[in-house]
Amino acid sequence: QVQLVESGGGSVQAGGSLRLSCAASGVTYSNRCMGWFRQAPGKEREGIAGIDTLGSTRYADNVKGRFTISKDNAKNTLYLQMNSLKPEDTAMYFCAAGRGVLCEWGDYIYWGQGTQVIVSS
């Protein structure tokens, strides 16, 4: 059974930073693409950062240059470092595991429960 558990969310002022973590069981990060998604109230869930099995990363335009995705295969943990946070980054953030080694945003099939991020102005 796959279980993804996010942590690290919270409230921060604009310009601040947070680091999200995602611990996994039942899935191995070294042989799957992993990603971070977010969903703001009244909006659709969007993919914001992904990392493949070789460590190549991709980002949504609205977070590029501010967010960094990384993983520690030995700890089976995924991270999202978020800097220069803006009020529009307020959302529920989800960790996800994909079908294989390379993933488009629609290829993610396992999801965590999410962690809330609130950015105040």
Side-chain angles (χ1 to χ4, degrees):
Q1 183 178 355
V2 176
Q3 186 173 21
L4 304 175
V5 180
E6 302 93 338
S7 61
S11 296
V12 64
Q13 289 193 322
S17 298
L18 284 173
R19 188 173 85 151
L20 306 183
S21 299
C22 177
S25 59
V27 64
T28 302
Y29 284 4
S30 61
N31 57 21
R32 285 185 185 271
C33 54
M34 301 295 299
W36 288 97
F37 290 70
R38 69 185 183 187
Q39 186 167 20
K43 295 187 178 181
E44 293 187 354
R45 185 171 59 193
E46 62 171 340
I48 58 170
I51 185 166
D52 67 21
T53 56
L54 297 179
S56 296
T57 57
R58 62 182 300 195
Y59 297 93
D61 288 342
N62 54 4
V63 305
K64 197 174 297 182
R66 300 187 297 122
F67 291 10
T68 303
I69 187 172
S70 62
K71 61 177 180 172
D72 184 330
N73 288 337
K75 295 182 179 179
N76 223 30
T77 301
L78 183 72
Y79 303 99
L80 184 69
Q81 178 66 43
M82 305 187 294
N83 298 329
S84 302
L85 283 161
K86 304 175 181 180
E88 51 263 45
D89 294 318
T90 294
M92 185 71 78
Y93 283 70
F94 299 90
C95 166
R99 300 179 187 276
V101 297
L102 295 173
C103 295
E104 299 297 327
W105 296 127
D107 293 329
Y108 289 84
I109 58 174
Y110 300 112
W111 299 88
Q113 294 299 306
T115 186
Q116 182 70 49
V117 171
I118 298 172
V119 184
S120 58
S121 57

